[in-house]
Amino acid sequence: MAAQRVPATRDARAERFPSAYFERLIESSPDIVIATDRAGTIIFYNDGAERNLGYTAAEMLGENVVRLLPPLIVDETEVGEAMT
């Protein structure tokens, strides 16, 4: 009979990978990772976002995420309504 693999629990993963590991992983990811609060204010902007979008974190933190959207594609009020 083949051994069954038991999925790792959240606690077991936390022991193997401390939160600092995941923070560094997300910060250094080549992919765009942006977090906003409920009002759409950018509160996290990673290295991948800097490289791909051309704005530094210093420029974008505290700005509304609508700043990153092309003006002809989305109406700002629709974005705000979708986020609530």
Side-chain angles (χ1 to χ4, degrees):
M1 174 190 279
Q4 291 184 338
R5 184 170 183 213
V6 177
T9 65
R10 194 174 285 257
D11 292 336
R13 286 190 302 254
E15 289 175 13
R16 286 186 291 152
F17 301 105
S19 62
Y21 169 81
F22 289 108
E23 289 173 21
R24 285 191 309 273
L25 182 66
I26 291 170
E27 286 177 8
S28 64
S29 172
D31 297 320
I32 298 169
V33 181
I34 299 170
T36 67
D37 63 13
R38 290 183 182 261
T41 303
I42 297 172
I43 58 174
F44 180 82
Y45 192 86
N46 79 333
D47 295 344
E50 287 189 352
R51 284 190 298 276
N52 290 293
L53 300 175
Y55 298 103
T56 66
E59 291 174 288
M60 295 310 298
L61 291 173
E63 294 292 325
N64 194 285
V65 71
V66 172
R67 180 173 171 192
L68 295 171
L69 302 174
L72 299 176
I73 294 179
V74 176
D75 179 4
E76 184 174 338
T77 56
E78 292 176 5
V79 172
E81 290 173 6
M83 296 180 76
T84 58

